[in-house]
Amino acid sequence: MKNVLGIILMALLISCKSDSKTDKEGPEKENGRLRSEWKLAEKEKNPNAKNVDTAPLGEVANPTAYTFDDFRISKNRVGIFSKGMSISDVYNTLPRDQIKKKVGYGEFAGDTYDDYEIYDANGKKILVLTAMEKGNTHSKIGRVLILDKRFETAEKIGLGSTFGDLERYYATDKMSPDIEHIVIDVEPINAWFTIGKTELREGWWNGRGIDRSKIPGTAKFDGICIWWK
């Protein structure tokens, strides 16, 4: 564990490019849970994740593909999926071949969770749903990772939208650095938006936190995740 934490700390020190001790320690201390959980979301984009059986025993595949036409993101809803829905509800809503269960792996040994990839009628992966409890299809959805630009908030904010777009409608003062991104926590819609550090101006970490003036209004979001508790 110490080796892993050491690697994470070193990456943060390099990315921040700070000469002072305060600058070096700041990112490591700020909101560790936020960084850790977003790293799990980033792992969903890993094509080497292990595939497992696509549905619980007894499920019957629906021969007709479901066509998605609802792409609205809100606090308690992402398209046809809403807060409080269980994984069983998902299987009762979509044909079996539009759901693929995968095992996700966390940072430490034994840290695993159940993901359910959702595909549209054309076979494109558009969402990843993560169960609150692994090994239990009656578990509720705890996280929704958005992979398709068609999903947007009522204000038309989605993947590819900019920091300036978000600032016009929501408070953006709750931020935290990750290894390769900064994460913006937008509580009114239970969402995390990520921007790659390569989009930021030099000196974005000022020793106390993220300097908002170093985030261009044109910086685009490359990740959106909705969290339900």
Side-chain angles (χ1 to χ4, degrees):
M1 181 182 296
K2 290 182 178 179
N3 290 337
V4 173
L5 292 176
I7 293 172
I8 294 174
L9 177 58
M10 183 62 69
L12 285 170
L13 295 180
I14 294 172
S15 64
C16 292
K17 298 181 180 179
S18 173
D19 294 329
S20 71
K21 182 177 180 180
T22 301
D23 288 355
K24 293 177 181 178
E25 292 179 348
E28 182 64 18
K29 292 181 179 179
E30 180 173 340
N31 206 340
R33 183 188 67 82
L34 190 68
R35 290 201 314 272
S36 177
E37 291 189 349
W38 183 256
K39 284 175 66 180
L40 296 183
E42 283 294 298
K43 288 179 182 290
E44 309 308 338
K45 301 175 184 178
N46 181 3
N48 296 320
K50 182 180 178 182
N51 289 333
V52 296
D53 190 16
T54 57
L57 293 177
E59 290 287 347
V60 178
N62 186 337
T64 304
Y66 180 89
T67 300
F68 287 86
D69 57 7
D70 183 352
F71 297 97
R72 177 63 59 86
I73 300 172
S74 63
K75 182 176 183 178
N76 297 316
R77 196 172 187 88
V78 177
I80 63 172
F81 304 107
S82 59
K83 182 177 180 179
M85 283 185 71
S86 69
I87 299 303
S88 292
D89 292 332
V90 175
Y91 278 113
N92 289 332
T93 302
L94 296 176
R96 173 175 176 160
D97 59 3
Q98 286 182 255
I99 307 169
K100 181 182 292 185
K101 182 182 178 183
K102 301 185 76 173
V103 175
Y105 295 91
E107 183 177 349
F108 304 108
D111 184 11
T112 63
Y113 48 97
D114 291 345
D115 285 338
Y116 297 83
E117 296 179 341
I118 305 301
Y119 294 80
D120 67 11
N122 297 317
K124 178 183 179 182
K125 183 165 62 174
I126 59 175
L127 298 169
V128 178
L129 312 179
T130 302
M132 290 184 178
E133 300 175 13
K134 63 181 180 180
N136 180 9
T137 58
H138 296 292
S139 172
K140 294 180 180 180
I141 300 169
R143 181 184 67 189
V144 182
L145 183 63
I146 295 169
L147 304 176
D148 192 300
K149 290 184 177 181
R150 288 175 292 180
F151 287 95
E152 296 178 325
T153 67
E155 300 81 15
K156 303 297 183 183
I157 298 172
L159 289 172
S161 295
T162 66
F163 181 66
D165 295 333
L166 188 66
E167 277 194 306
R168 279 195 286 271
Y169 299 101
Y170 296 100
T172 57
D173 54 343
K174 191 173 182 181
M175 304 180 185
S176 180
D178 193 0
I179 300 300
E180 298 179 352
H181 298 81
I182 61 169
V183 181
I184 303 168
D185 186 353
V186 181
E187 292 184 352
I189 53 174
N190 294 328
W192 289 356
F193 293 80
T194 62
I195 297 174
K197 289 181 179 178
T198 56
E199 297 247 20
L200 308 180
R201 300 189 183 100
E202 188 174 355
W204 60 268
W205 181 262
N206 61 18
R208 298 179 303 277
I210 296 171
D211 184 345
R212 294 167 52 86
S213 69
K214 303 297 184 180
I215 307 175
T218 55
K220 293 184 177 181
F221 300 120
D222 60 4
I224 302 176
C225 192
I226 307 298
W227 296 88
W228 293 329
K229 297 180 180 179

